[in-house]
Structure formats: structure tokens, C-alpha cells
Amino acid sequence: MTESTSRQAPKGRLAQVIATRGGLAPPEAPFVIEHREALIYMLCEAAELEHGIMCQYLYAAFSLKQSMAEGLTAAELAAVTSWRKRISHVAAQEMLHLSLVQNLMSAIGAAPHLSRPNFPQPARHYPAGVHLALLPFGEQALRHFMFLERPEGMDIDDADGMAAFGRALPVMRETDIVPRPQDFRTVGHLYRSIEAGIAHLTEKHGERWLFVGPPRAQATQQYFGWPELVAVTDAASAQRAIDEILEQGEGPRGQWQDAHFGQFVQILDEYLDLRESNPAFDPVRPVVLLNVRPAERDPDISLVTDPLTTQVMDLFNVSYEILLLLLQRFFAHTEETDVQLKALADAGVALMGSVVRPLGDLATTLPAGPEYPGRNGSPSFELFYDTDYVLPHREAAWILLTERIQQAAEFCTPAMPCAPRVADRLGAIRSSLNDVAQSLAAHLPPSATETPAPAEDLDSLLSQAKEIYRTNSAFTAHPGASLSSLAAILTSAYQALPAPASSPVPAHAPAPLPARIVARLVHSVLRPLADSLSDLSSPATPGQPAAQEPAPQKPAPSLWDVAVAATDLRVRLGAAAPAGLLEAVAALQDVAVGQAPAGERAQRISELEQRQRGLPTAIVTAANGPYLVTNVAAVRDHLGTQLPVPPQLALCRCGGSSLKPFCDGRTSVPASPAARTRTGCPTSVTPTRASRSRSSTTGASASTPVCVPTGWPPCSVRVRSPSSRRAAAGWTRSSGRCATARPGR
């Protein structure tokens, strides 16, 4: 097939005229790029240009009408819908180009660059001949798009009113060490110069010198679904990436008909034909370009004044900002796994399709304000700060991203009465934002996804504690050593609590404890101990309720003292220790360690380990309660980081704890202090065996069983000894994101 027959013939009068006069002139001279910084500088220029052009195309697509109710005939609506789809597709390809530029930057060791100047762009930000602006769909916009996408050597004028700012820039010298802007007449000229710079630096220094970025930092089809997303690792792949950008934008040299330039030419031809057949044809909503906030560089720009429209436009800008932060994190990731990178990419795609796009559509249907009669708002693509601020630490970055998305979801609630269609649209957007937030939260560590515990009144907690003590303290005089010892621990824990607010505070009273610590002691220490006392006592010889408060100790026992005493009892009873004692010891150790100064916590954990070092590694399941884990060598999170934990653990089994992976005892909170039946945890677990190895777990065999607490996948406990396997009531399969606990103390 010859070149003349393989190329599609131009359609439309304008396309035929352009085909006869453009696209065959010699290319412009390339830039001077003598060092890495100059190349990075021009790639940043390319990134900003792709980003700004993408915003232009999206704005034009948002401005188009979408129904016959807006004054279009069926034939006109079909044409307008086709234009909208084609322009949106071009905008999506500009996002692909932006990603390819980020790949090029990452390949040579640079950070991602997703910032750009706000609209209207500052004078002289780009070279003479380049001007970006948000324009509604129409002849002016289409001619401007054609001008930006024109092939190298094609001499056409920009649309009226779109004259570029500034003058020609001085030529950069080869001896300059500081990079600066250089003139380019077309987007193609910019990329051909970058291409020449890569070839020159490769020839001058070699590929290994230039391509120093990690290959894993590249965006590929695996994450975003674009087959054209080239991973850049050497000069050849860099060439393919640049070719992809140029061929989609301006087409292979002289063959622009199917490229972006040719698509805009065809759309303009179709638009002019419809206008000629119907001069009243108007496919555009009555939008006006307004800002939500005063522009930093142009304080005279007009602002939207309708409150609801302001909220929608603000939400659009915030969602767009979050999208950029997600992409920023993707391209600058550190410890993320492949699954987590895919989650970031999926979150970005979901934000664009289910949040940014519907908000852009909605904004163009809402009134701009009484100062603009008959005019509607529109997305302003405002950046409120430099979006090149990279969230550098993985865990913190994911927490901040999730938090910001949740804030945006909360902002979706209309601040004033509005039409049902608007409320419904905002409700759907809020749901989409919450879905995206949940998709990221699934990869957060447990401390970041704790469900806030319901607030409990301190006096109410102390009243519950008093009732538990009153009905169980008589066991301290029981002839059975186990019962009297358990009752003594219960009494000491009760004495460690603060006095009620209505009671006088004696000089020897313990320091006030936060309500959350009091709640932990009531639900995870006093109640399990009371359960054990009830289970172990004979129905014929129950303990008699105490008639009065215990005689106060001087001084009152500290939480550390109680934790040590409970641990010693746990060791003394060994395998005969009831589940309630194990749960209470786990909570006391955790609270006592957590209440210590940061510099003393490791020492406290070490002392507790020494006290119960003779106990075998074991996992038991409390009836309707947590997994009770004894003496594991290490607990690791989903990234393999070892967590500092005491030797006795109570792991959540119901998914309702506010302290996941640890049990907080709240799901067993009874309707009344006297009723102590647990209701929140499953009574049984289906035993299964998981046979899998994990690189982060040394010394564990492939057949090691795995116990996974319920809820966010926070930890999995691996046990090697056969006796420990028999001690566990149930096993479930492990998720790849779970932490790992290894036996062997």
C-alpha cells in the first residue's frame, strides 16, 4: 500500500484547504540541551503544557449541552454528543501524554512535575506563540486548539483574541549551566528538541549516565490500562514515548488527519456546516469563566457569587487537586507494593470519571450569581497551592490522601436548599468519594483506620466498675487459690481507677486517667476477670457482694504494678489460666506500656517478656471473645515492619474494635452492668489451613497455619509448634497485606 492510498483523504472544506498548504515545511531548529538540568527543565515545560492543554479541552467539553431540553434537535444533539466524546477522548490522551512525560522525567532521575500556572496564565510564562486559556466550545476555541496542535512547519494563525504574550526569548548558550526557557513555535518543536537533547546527552555521556531512575517507578498499562503507556528505561524507549505523543498530537509528519489536529479540523468543519444550515444553532451552555477565589497574579478576575455554584466549583477544584496529589504520589512512590500502586491508579481513574467529570458537568448548569444574569458557572481548574508538593512518606501520604478525600465527601452536603437533581447528583458524588477513600483506607495500617470509640461518660464507666467490683470482690477470701488470686487482681485494677467526680479526692489517689483508658480497664480487664470468676466458681458457693468500697491502698497501685502482678499470676497458672485472665493481662500490658514515657516502653516490654518467657507460644480463642496470643517472637505489619508489642496479646475477632488489630472489649459491653454475656464476637471459626510462604517471615515453614483477626487485615499469627496448632480454635486464610507474627520467644 502506497503512502498516498494509506492516508485518509481530508474531509470538509477547511481540512482540504489545510492539506494543500501545511505540514511539509522543514522542522524548526532544536534547543540547546547540554546537561541533565536543561533536559529536566524542558520536560517540566512539556508537562505544564500538556497539563494546561488537557484542562482547556475538558473545559470546552464541559461547556457543551447534553439534552434536547437545552434547545437542540435530535440531529444537533447527536452531533454535539459526538463532539463532546471526541474532545473528551483527546483530553484523555493529553493525560496519557502527561504520564509519558512523567515517565521520561522519572527515567532520568527527576521528580514528577504536575504543577502549572493558574488560568489566566501569567504573561510570558510560555514562549511567544503559546497562549493557554479556558474557552467554551466554539469556533474561537477550535481554531485555538488547532493552532496549538498544528504540525511542525504548518503556518496557520491563532484564533482572534488569542495573541500570545511576550517576545522571542534569547537563545541559550552551550556554556550556560542554569537552564532557562527557550523558544518553541509548536508542541512538536518542543518534543523534537527534547528528543534531540536525549540523543545528544546519551551520545555524550552514555545511557547508563542518563537513565538513572528506577524502572519500577514507571507508569505502565498494568496500572492505567493504556497500551501506549511506554515504560522509559533507555534511549530507545524514550524515543518511543516521544513518538507516541507526537503522532497522537500532530500525526506522523505530513499525516495529521487522524491526529488531534485533524480531529479539531473535522469538528470545526462540522460545526460550521451546522451553523450555516441553522444560524440560530447554539450547542454551548451560557457559561462564564469565573474564579472561586481571587487570583494571585490577576486580582481583577471576576468571582462566582451564587453560594451553591461556589460550593460545586470549590468541590470540583478540591477533587481535581486530590487527583493531582494521587498522581504525584504514584510517580514518586517509595515502599508501595504493586497492589498498592494499582490502588492509587484506580483511585485516580475513579476520581476523574465519577467525581471530577460530573462536577464539571454540574457546574455549567448552575447560575453564576445575580451579577451575571442568564450566565452559568464553570470549572475554573484553580490550584490553591503548588501541587508539586510530594507527600514523601508512604504511610503518612496514604493517611493524608484518605483524609482529604473524606473531607471532600463531607463537603458534598449542600449548604443551602437546592433542586432535587442537584442534591441527587451531589449525593452520588459523595458516595463515589467515600468509595475511593475506602479503597485507599484498605491499605492503611490499623492505627490509621481505628474506628473512633463511642464516647463514654467517665462517671458511667466508674459506676460500671464499682458494680463489677461489688459483685466479685468477696472472692478475695475464697479458699481456692485461683479464685482469690483473680479477685485480688480485679480489686487492684479497680483501685487503680480514679475516683468519681462527685467524690473527694484523697491525697494518695492515682493520677487522673483519660476516659479511653478507663473504658479499656473496665471492658478489657474488670469484665473478663469477672467472667472468669463467675465461670470458675461453684454455683453453690458464689461470692457475696461487697457491702462497701475496698480499703484504699496507700499509695494506690499503678497500672504497671497491676500489669506485673497479673502477668506473674498468668505465669503461675500456666495452661490452667482462664481466658479472661489472658485477656486482662493483654490489656494491662498494653496500657501499662503505652502510658510509660516513650523512652521507657522498650524496657517495659523486655521486662514483661522475661517474666513470661517460660510460657509456650500459643493461640487460644476466648468464648465469644478475641484471639489470645502468647509469646510470639515478632509482629509485623503489611510492609514487614516489626511492631513493638508486649508478649500477651488479645486480637480482635469480630471486626468491631476501635483498636484493631487489638480487642478493646467493647463488642461485649452488656445492656446492664450485671449482664456480662458477650454478643459481638463469633462463637466459632471455621478451621481451614493456609499453606503459603512469606519472604518477610524467616524460619516459618510453608505449611505454617495462619490466624487472621477480623476487620482491616492487620496481622496474621504464624505458629510452628504442633501443640500450639492444637491450641488454636480456628484458622483462616491470610491476606497478602497482613502483618505477620512469628513464634519463638
Side-chain angles (χ1 to χ4, degrees), residues 639-709:
L639 293 176
T641 303
Q642 184 168 336
L643 304 177
V645 294
Q648 193 69 54
L649 303 173
L651 302 179
C652 175
R653 194 159 62 95
C654 67
S657 172
S658 63
L659 301 175
K660 289 189 289 287
F662 308 109
C663 176
D664 65 0
R666 289 177 181 272
T667 53
S668 62
V669 173
S672 65
R676 295 197 300 267
T677 301
R678 291 182 183 271
T679 58
C681 296
T683 56
S684 63
V685 180
T686 302
T688 61
R689 295 279 175 144
S691 299
R692 59 189 297 151
S693 60
R694 176 185 285 279
S695 59
S696 63
T697 306
T698 59
S701 67
S703 61
T704 299
V706 179
C707 169
V708 184

Side-chain angles (χ1 to χ4, degrees), residues 537-585:
S537 63
S538 168
T541 58
Q544 297 300 314
Q548 58 186 14
E549 290 285 309
Q553 284 185 247
K554 297 182 180 181
S558 69
L559 289 177
W560 174 247
D561 294 335
V562 181
V564 169
T567 300
D568 289 345
L569 178 60
R570 158 79 178 101
V571 173
R572 189 164 71 248
L573 295 180
L581 176 61
L582 272 61
E583 184 176 351
V585 170

Side-chain angles (χ1 to χ4, degrees), residues 336-563:
E336 276 86 351
T337 64
D338 289 343
V339 172
Q340 289 166 341
L341 289 176
K342 186 65 168 69
L344 283 174
D346 289 347
V349 172
L351 272 179
M352 188 65 220
S354 302
V355 177
V356 173
R357 182 173 290 120
L359 283 170
D361 290 337
L362 181 59
T364 58
T365 66
L366 300 176
E371 296 86 349
Y372 316 98
R375 307 299 295 275
N376 291 351
S378 58
S380 53
F381 290 94
E382 292 169 71
L383 299 179
F384 302 126
Y385 54 85
D386 187 352
T387 53
D388 268 358
Y389 109 81
V390 177
L391 301 172
H393 309 295
R394 194 211 70 83
E395 182 176 312
W398 283 65
I399 291 172
L400 266 62
L401 287 168
T402 303
E403 177 183 291
R404 189 63 170 149
I405 296 169
Q406 290 169 338
Q407 290 172 344
E410 293 173 2
F411 193 65
C412 287
T413 302
M416 67 289 298
C418 61
R421 70 170 183 88
V422 177
D424 291 346
R425 186 75 64 87
L426 289 174
I429 292 168
R430 178 175 56 232
S431 178
S432 296
L433 284 166
N434 283 327
D435 288 345
V436 173
Q438 290 173 10
S439 73
L440 297 183
H443 298 271
L444 293 179
S447 60
T449 56
E450 289 180 4
T451 305
E456 293 187 74
D457 179 70
L458 183 59
D459 283 344
S460 174
L461 287 168
L462 294 175
S463 176
Q464 294 179 52
K466 181 177 180 179
E467 176 66 11
I468 293 173
Y469 165 76
R470 191 185 69 82
T471 57
N472 292 277
S473 60
F475 284 110
T476 55
H478 197 280
S482 296
L483 287 173
S484 60
S485 298
L486 287 172
I489 298 297
L490 185 149
T491 299
S492 295
Y494 177 67
Q495 290 176 325
L497 296 173
S502 58
S503 303
V505 180
H508 58 269
L513 293 173
R516 61 182 178 82
I517 299 297
V518 175
R520 187 85 184 278
L521 294 175
V522 172
H523 301 317
S524 295
V525 177
L526 298 182
R527 183 166 289 112
L529 289 173
D531 287 344
S532 292
L533 287 169
S534 176
D535 293 341
L536 293 174
S537 63
S538 168
T541 58
Q544 297 300 314
Q548 58 186 14
E549 290 285 309
Q553 284 185 247
K554 297 182 180 181
S558 69
L559 289 177
W560 174 247
D561 294 335
V562 181

